[in-house]
Amino acid sequence: MKNTFRVLCIDGGGMRGLYTATLLSTLAYRFDACFSKDIPDIGKAFDLICGTSTGAILTCGLAAGIPINRIQSLYIDNGEKIFVDPMPSQKQLIKFLVWASKYIKKPASNVLQLKNALQSVFGTMTIKQLYEKRNIALCVPSVNASNYKAWVFKTPHNPGKHRDDNYSLVDVCMASAAAPILFPIAQFTNPDNKSIQDNFVDGGLWANNPSLIGIIEAIGMIDLEDTQLDILSVGTCDQPSGDPYSVKNPNWGLFNWRAGVNIVEMSLSSQSFGYSNASRFLCSSLNKLKLPTRFVRLEQTNKSPEQFSAINIDKADKIAIETLNEMARTDADAIHSKVLSSDTGEMALVKEIFTSLSILKQ
């Protein structure tokens, strides 16, 4: 009988991370009613967890054994304190121009509030300490702002690789979630050399959907011939930004690109879509080589324009929170129903994962 190695991959998406936390929590309850009272240890269902930006916060939380309801509260209680001045829509021309001019020389969000919220959850725990405590491997993408090169924070799950051991979970999350325009470059003292200042920018610039990172890292950790590799990929309810009419005139300038905001949004959405398809294709190719691999991306139901207008990466008001939670519960119910109607193929993996969750022991 083959061993099973499971990987969880979580996208970036700012405040929309609340959707993902609620989706996972609701799925746990749908598959086992005991989780109406007890807390599911979702992290322990996986051997490797990868997450980018807001996904890094979820990743570190699940891996560290932070209760999922506490992760949800992190977003709900701190969202408006972090995202103090959300971006106006492009249709609100005057408001957007005022907003853009206001933040020419400074980021738009309260980074200190984010750091304080993370410290209240993770304390001083380091990547190495997390791995020693829980034996769950992590991969968290970021960008080294000093040389523009990709960087992946990793637990010491590979023998001989200890570069990131002493980075705190707070610094790792800050490094991966330092979204351009919204947050400043994440700068902190290197934990191994106090004379060096590390500088990082949001991992969503190159790996907003970290599925490929998870698959590649897992292949290096296991013997594929003797191991069933399973990958669960979870999005953050991407808001569609495309508008067919907007490209009738291709001569886009600073306004059309919303002072750079549209560049970031287009990059995040295209990556999530492209990396999902690339991951699915890679897994299909591995199966053709008789290396058993399953990949499933949790589906999202169709959303109304009103729902999408209520959410964004930096919208954290009451309506945004209610909408994110509602959409997450709706999607969880749809996924659960699909599993009940046919627990084969991709749905079999979803069922296996969510029916094997244990109760979180604090």
Side-chain angles (χ1 to χ4, degrees), residues 4 7 31 33 68 118 136 155 181 183 216 235 239 274 344 350 352:
T4 300
V7 184
F31 281 97
I68 189 69
L118 292 173
I136 299 172
T155 46
I181 302 174
F183 293 109
I216 293 169
Q239 181 176 9
T344 59
V350 175
E352 289 171 20

Side-chain angles (χ1 to χ4, degrees), residues 14 17 52-62 64 66 70-79 81-83 110-126 130 140 168-179 183-184 186 188:
T52 304
S53 196
T54 198
I57 297 172
L58 290 159
T59 288
C60 289
L62 294 174
I66 304 299
R70 189 176 179 192
I71 298 175
Q72 291 170 288
S73 295
L74 187 152
Y75 288 93
I76 295 170
D77 297 340
N78 296 280
K81 299 174 185 176
I82 295 169
F83 299 112
N110 187 338
V111 69
L112 182 60
Q113 181 67 37
L114 172 60
K115 186 172 184 178
N116 289 340
L118 292 173
Q119 287 176 333
S120 71
V121 173
F122 297 120
T124 60
M125 180 180 287
T126 65
L130 181 150
V140 176
S168 71
L169 296 184
V170 171
D171 284 345
V172 169
C173 290
M174 295 293 291
S176 187
F183 293 109
F188 42 80

Side-chain angles (χ1 to χ4, degrees), residues 27-338:
L27 279 172
Y29 170 65
R30 291 293 180 266
F31 281 97
D32 192 335
C34 81
F35 294 125
S36 63
K37 295 181 179 180
D38 298 314
I39 299 173
D41 193 344
I42 296 172
K44 264 298 184 181
F46 299 91
D47 303 284
L48 168 65
I49 308 180
C50 305
T52 304
S53 196
T54 198
I57 297 172
L58 290 159
T59 288
C60 289
L62 294 174
I66 304 299
I68 189 69
N69 58 343
R70 189 176 179 192
I71 298 175
Q72 291 170 288
S73 295
L74 187 152
Y75 288 93
I76 295 170
D77 297 340
N78 296 280
E80 284 194 294
K81 299 174 185 176
I82 295 169
F83 299 112
V84 292
D85 193 3
M87 291 178 286
S89 71
Q90 193 167 347
K91 295 178 181 179
Q92 298 172 298
L93 176 58
I94 301 301
K95 286 186 177 181
F96 178 76
L97 292 176
V98 171
W99 184 91
S101 64
K102 185 178 179 181
Y103 297 110
I104 287 177
K105 292 186 177 181
K106 63 178 181 179
S109 301
N110 187 338
V111 69
L112 182 60
Q113 181 67 37
L114 172 60
K115 186 172 184 178
N116 289 340
L118 292 173
Q119 287 176 333
S120 71
V121 173
F122 297 120
T124 60
M125 180 180 287
T126 65
I127 275 187
K128 181 181 179 181
Q129 289 170 340
L130 181 150
Y131 188 66
E132 291 175 342
K133 176 184 176 182
R134 298 267 289 171
N135 196 35
I136 299 172
L138 291 186
C139 284
V140 176
S142 186
V143 176
N144 187 334
S146 300
N147 57 19
Y148 293 12
K149 294 184 182 296
W151 183 293
V152 180
F153 290 95
K154 298 181 182 181
T155 46
H157 50 268
N158 289 322
K161 293 187 176 182
H162 300 279
R163 181 195 63 182
D164 304 323
D165 283 8
N166 296 318
Y167 282 101
S168 71
L169 296 184
V170 171
D171 284 345
V172 169
C173 290
M174 295 293 291
S176 187
I181 302 174
L182 295 181
F183 293 109
I185 292 172
Q187 185 178 81
F188 42 80
T189 303
N190 183 286
D192 299 317
N193 188 334
K194 303 304 180 183
S195 66
I196 296 176
Q197 287 291 312
D198 287 331
N199 299 276
F200 292 98
V201 179
D202 198 326
L205 293 179
W206 70 280
N208 195 57
N209 176 345
S211 297
L212 277 178
I213 293 172
I215 295 170
I216 293 169
E217 190 70 19
I219 289 174
M221 295 173 66
I222 64 176
D223 182 349
L224 266 177
E225 292 185 354
D226 295 324
T227 307
Q228 169 76 46
L229 175 58
D230 293 335
I231 305 98
L232 178 67
S233 176
V234 188
T236 54
C237 199
D238 292 342
Q239 181 176 9
S241 301
D243 179 358
Y245 293 99
S246 68
V247 293
K248 283 189 173 182
N249 176 9
N251 298 313
W252 282 23
L254 191 64
F255 169 68
N256 301 88
W257 286 109
R258 293 177 68 203
V261 172
N262 271 357
I263 297 173
V264 176
E265 291 185 348
M266 187 179 292
S267 173
L268 299 184
S269 296
S270 61
Q271 282 185 59
S272 292
F273 178 79
Y275 280 31
S276 287
N277 288 334
S279 298
R280 192 171 283 109
F281 178 82
L282 176 57
C283 291
S284 177
S285 298
L286 290 172
N287 280 313
K288 290 179 181 178
L289 296 173
K290 307 301 181 183
L291 303 173
T293 310
R294 292 184 293 180
F295 174 87
V296 59
R297 173 85 168 176
L298 291 185
E299 294 182 5
Q300 300 176 10
T301 60
N302 292 329
K303 307 299 189 299
S304 70
E306 291 77 17
Q307 287 176 310
F308 275 126
S309 68
I311 67 170
N312 207 339
I313 58 176
D314 63 345
K315 279 190 176 181
D317 56 30
K318 182 179 179 181
I319 294 176
I321 288 171
E322 290 176 350
T323 303
L324 287 166
N325 281 328
E326 177 189 351
M327 291 191 295
R329 287 189 287 266
T330 298
D331 287 350
D333 288 343
I335 293 167
H336 182 247
S337 295
K338 192 170 183 179

